[in-house]
Amino acid sequence: MIERDRWLLPEGIDEVLPHQAQHLEQLRRRLLDLFRRWGYDLVVPPFIEYLESLLTGAGNDLGLQTFKLTDQLSGRLMGVRADMTPQVARIEAHRLQREEPVRLCYLGTVLRTVSDGFASSRSPLQLGAELYGHQGIEADIEALCLMLETLAAAGLRDVHLDVGHVGIFRGLARRAGLNPAQETELFDLLQRKARTEIDSYLSDLAIAAELRTMIARLPILNGGIEVLGTAAEVLHDAGDDVLDALSNLQAIASAAAEHLPRVPLYYDLAELRGYHYKTGVVFAAFVPGCGQEVARGGRYDDIGAVFGRARPATGFSTDLKLLMKLGSKPAADAAGGIFAPAGSDAGLRARIGELRAAGERVIQALPGQKGDAAAMGCDRELQRQGAAWQPVVLEKDH
């Protein structure tokens, strides 16, 4: 590698510079405090685990996104986390083992072999909240409301939601007797809303005509809440599991309209984010000017079964760095700091300590350094006035 290329970072791997890092830290504190006020306890899972723990439950979708390596101590295969959801599920199921509803939140870097859409980053700072132990729609609505409050606290405006339910397509696929390969193929076509290809593919399958029609209609069953009424007519003979899923979605839609009256809700029965591990409602948040979701979530019951406890679960996640990029910018810091002269004078050292203890940012000059107070980002300078050291506001150049 040539010398001048040593500063390059891998594609999709980014770093945060000082002015952004300060904003990021302020946002981190604000959002974790928000989660605490809602009763969500912070957990900090490890950055690396044995692979079988990471690729269970929600992790089944993550095999291609996970960096793998061999543990030199045990010889076992390990993975660098690409998603913190399976880790939090393991903590809830195996370490906590509570009977009451459990609310957990988390924040940490994840590493992915390929980007999954959040700002094209392969190292997002994943922030999320999970609610375990309650099957009702009230838990789903809480996750939705907390997600929207999170986005509002980050300064995102004009948020709208896409809402779907994986149980509808899953039930139709089961009733049609599709094998896993056929179900996967149809899933991919539905994600692209490739209606011509869907019709062509369905015509080659040996399934009842009415089921073929129901599946083919899924890509066009999208819009406002009225689309759920249309879906009830289209799917009236789809079977109990499909109708139960649709009824669940209708109940969530009614509750969402009550709790979130000013948030535009868009229902899409071909919306299948996280299909391979989600079990119920799925949702994603979008804002104008950004062509990808800024947060996503849904229900994924029994995710903890492989860890010994199957519990209902719902929640959401987002990327803190993406929220920083899209949200409102913090007000400029009026007090950039105090520049203190070099020296080991006891009074000077004591005064610097007092100011720092009071919350001031104090930078002491180093002997012979280049750069004055302004160059060091300070708007005041510590000057001796008689026997005391006092901060003096610097005159601004005009």
Side-chain angles (χ1 to χ4, degrees):
M1 179 180 293
I2 1 185
E3 184 84 18
R4 65 173 178 271
D5 289 337
R6 291 190 177 181
W7 60 271
L8 291 174
L9 292 173
E11 183 177 350
I13 304 298
D14 51 10
E15 57 195 356
V16 182
L17 301 180
H19 67 286
Q20 297 171 314
Q22 181 63 27
H23 181 191
L24 194 69
E25 174 62 13
Q26 292 171 354
L27 185 57
R28 182 193 70 85
R29 295 179 189 179
R30 186 186 316 147
L31 296 182
L32 289 182
D33 284 347
L34 169 65
F35 289 172
R36 182 185 57 80
R37 291 195 298 271
W38 279 61
Y40 286 75
D41 296 321
L42 180 66
V43 292
V44 184
F47 190 59
I48 188 168
E49 288 197 44
Y50 290 124
L51 193 61
E52 57 265 30
S53 294
L54 291 176
L55 301 187
T56 52
N60 284 333
D61 244 4
L62 299 177
L64 292 178
Q65 288 187 321
T66 301
F67 282 96
K68 305 170 182 69
L69 63 159
T70 301
D71 180 12
Q72 297 301 310
L73 295 181
S74 66
R76 294 174 62 181
L77 203 58
M78 303 180 75
V80 179
R81 67 187 183 201
D83 185 355
M84 295 175 73
T85 305
Q87 297 184 295
V88 179
R90 175 183 54 74
I91 290 172
E92 197 279 333
H94 184 68
R95 300 297 298 275
L96 301 182
Q97 298 188 358
R98 299 174 186 163
E99 295 302 323
E100 67 274 14
V102 172
R103 293 171 172 85
L104 299 176
C105 63
Y106 56 88
L107 173 64
T109 297
V110 296
L111 184 64
R112 293 167 181 159
T113 58
V114 292
S115 168
D116 78 336
F118 272 156
S120 300
S121 175
R122 293 197 293 160
S123 58
L125 194 51
Q126 189 180 17
L127 170 76
E130 319 288 349
L131 199 168
Y132 299 91
H134 193 272
Q135 186 68 55
I137 66 169
E138 296 81 3
D140 298 307
I141 293 298
E142 180 172 316
L144 262 175
C145 290
L146 180 55
M147 182 179 78
L148 289 171
E149 190 159 335
T150 298
L151 300 181
L156 274 68
R157 301 289 180 262
D158 300 323
V159 178
H160 72 268
L161 289 174
D162 276 11
V163 185
H165 199 295
V166 300
I168 294 172
F169 173 64
R170 183 168 289 140
L172 289 172
R174 187 182 302 116
R175 188 173 181 196
L178 301 183
N179 62 41
Q182 292 168 332
E183 187 173 341
T184 298
E185 180 68 23
L186 262 179
F187 165 79
D188 291 338
L189 294 174
L190 285 169
Q191 294 316 281
R192 294 190 284 113
K193 287 186 166 55
R195 293 179 57 192
T196 301
E197 294 177 58
I198 291 171
D199 291 340
S200 175
Y201 188 78
L202 288 171
S203 67
D204 294 333
L205 299 179
I207 61 176
E210 61 270 19
L211 277 172
R212 188 180 296 118
T213 299
M214 292 177 195
I215 295 173
R217 292 286 298 276
L218 291 181
I220 61 173
L221 289 174
N222 53 74
I225 196 168
E226 68 282 351
V227 80
L228 300 184
T230 304
E233 297 174 5
V234 172
L235 302 173
H236 70 281
D237 284 333
D240 290 345
D241 49 356
V242 174
L243 295 180
D244 287 346
L246 182 58
S247 176
N248 178 253
L249 184 57
Q250 290 170 325
I252 289 172
S254 297
E258 179 181 347
H259 286 81
L260 307 166
R262 291 181 294 277
V263 177
L265 296 166
Y266 183 85
Y267 297 92
D268 186 349
L269 271 64
E271 169 52 65
L272 300 171
R273 284 179 177 82
Y275 176 74
H276 297 297
Y277 69 93
K278 292 286 177 60
T279 60
V281 65
V282 291
F283 46 82
F286 294 83
V287 294
C290 184
Q292 63 200 35
E293 71 263 28
V294 295
R296 63 171 78 112
R299 179 163 287 277
Y300 45 97
D301 292 340
D302 302 335
I303 187 174
V306 294
F307 303 114
R309 289 184 87 226
R311 296 247 283 171
T314 187
F316 74 92
S317 66
T318 183
D319 176 11
L320 190 68
K321 289 188 284 189
L322 180 62
L323 298 188
M324 177 188 69
K325 176 182 176 182
L326 297 175
S328 56
K329 302 299 180 285
D333 190 353
I338 301 169
F339 191 62
S344 57
D345 176 81
L348 174 62
R349 291 200 313 270
R351 185 59 173 140
I352 290 173
E354 291 173 1
L355 290 167
R356 286 174 175 163
E360 291 283 3
R361 179 174 183 257
V362 182
I363 300 174
Q364 185 171 23
L366 298 171
Q369 78 161 66
K370 293 181 180 180
D372 58 8
M376 299 300 292
C378 297
D379 62 342
R380 287 162 292 164
E381 190 170 53
L382 198 58
Q383 298 178 2
R384 185 191 289 273
Q385 296 183 349
W389 289 92
Q390 297 296 339
V392 175
V393 177
L394 300 174
E395 293 185 6
K396 295 181 179 179
D397 294 332
H398 296 285

